[in-house]
Amino acid sequence: MPLSQGPSPGVAAQQSAPKQGVFLHTGWRSAGTWVWSRLRVLDSVTGFYEPFSNVLADLSLADVSASRPTLTSGHPPLAAPYFEEYRPFLQEGARGVAGYRKRFGTDRFAPAPDTEFPALQAYLANLCERTAEHGSVPVFKFCRSSGRLPWLKQAFPQVMHAAVLRNPASQFASGWLLNQQWSNPFFVAAPFRVLGLNQTEPLVRQAIEICGVSLPPAVPTSDDAYAMACEQYARTAEGNNAYRAFVALWILCALRMADGVDLMIDVDRLGQSRDYAAGLRAGFEAQTGLSPDFSSARDLVEETRRSAARMAGIDGRSMRAVHSAALKFLKAQNGADADFIELVREKMVLANELTEQWR
């Protein structure tokens, strides 16, 4: 697996026939939307945003134009609405993207595909095939795929599977500050929801326990009901517990990424090194023929440092133990790649530095 900490992702990229699309596996507040936007602007690309988002279950043609970044999203300006590329898969007077099921919207961490996966595979295959028929390259930006990444890698070997990795402190801070400033609890609630709905999986239960996460007391009777319970829980969640939940989900997703991606995108480094940005561009070009320009990436690590005084309600000094526990969890997994473990260790060291200033 090509990793992002080497001198050039382009050099490390596999030399083979061009991949027939890109699956970009990201986390909430990881800067994945920005990375995807750099691919979407290419003339040869059809960029699908969040193909597992539950918004797609009720989306109508009339809704598409309004699906743009808002002040509370923290997303970059986009030339077209988020869901513009789904228009051919919507019908006049009806709601819902063709083939989409709402249960796709919850990530899963089982070792083998669940009963929903054949329908999910058919849904994505239809998007890919219809796009290819028009001579375009499909590029999907996921936020709910990392747990299922091994399933997707096996089902779609013809596409490039790229992953976005951002240090957990910066990634969490982005969502926490949105909640503080705009009372938007979604990004605080999301880790509780995903962990809770997967807590019967031994690997997930282990991550919950090792990170010391307290889940909402509600019993998951349905995905929707539990999501609502988690949003309510997040509105008054103790900050340290919210961060522990985030790190537990972060390390689970990182573990899946380590096992199934063709290219790892280190967002922290992307904003600090023009050489790295150029190498990343070469990596995409080598595997897909696409040449996205990442030279305008912001230094998101420095932005996290500048926002430290605004991080209220969290004892950052106590987070070192959580970072250490998560890294220990990763190291304990059989077959964990040594280079990837080192990359995660670097992320945890950086997270220690960044959280030290939180009070």
Side-chain angles (χ1 to χ4, degrees), residues 11 16 37 39 127 134 137 170 187 205 222 233-234 262 267 270 281 287 289 317 321:
V11 173
S16 59
S37 74
L39 289 152
L127 297 179
H134 290 86
V137 179
S170 292
F187 300 110
R205 171 51 57 186
S222 72
Y233 186 74
D262 302 305
V267 165
L270 181 58
R281 180 177 190 166
Q287 294 199 49
R317 290 167 296 187

Side-chain angles (χ1 to χ4, degrees), residues 168 206-207 209-212 243-244 246-252 254-255 319-333 341 344-345 348:
Q206 185 182 357
E209 291 175 354
I210 201 168
C211 291
Y243 187 71
R244 288 193 294 267
F246 178 84
V247 171
L249 181 59
W250 188 96
I251 201 66
L252 284 165
L255 176 62
M319 294 301 107
R320 283 180 174 267
V322 182
H323 300 147
S324 178
L327 183 60
K328 182 179 179 181
F329 167 81
L330 179 65
K331 289 179 176 179
Q333 307 310 311
I341 289 175
V344 171
R345 188 195 68 80
M348 294 307 185

Side-chain angles (χ1 to χ4, degrees), residues 46 48 61 64 83-91 97-98 126-127 130-131 134:
T46 297
F48 292 97
L61 283 167
V64 172
F83 301 116
E84 179 69 25
E85 288 80 355
Y86 293 95
R87 285 186 185 274
F89 304 93
L90 293 165
Q91 292 186 344
V97 172
N126 182 47
L127 297 179
R130 292 270 300 274
T131 301
H134 290 86

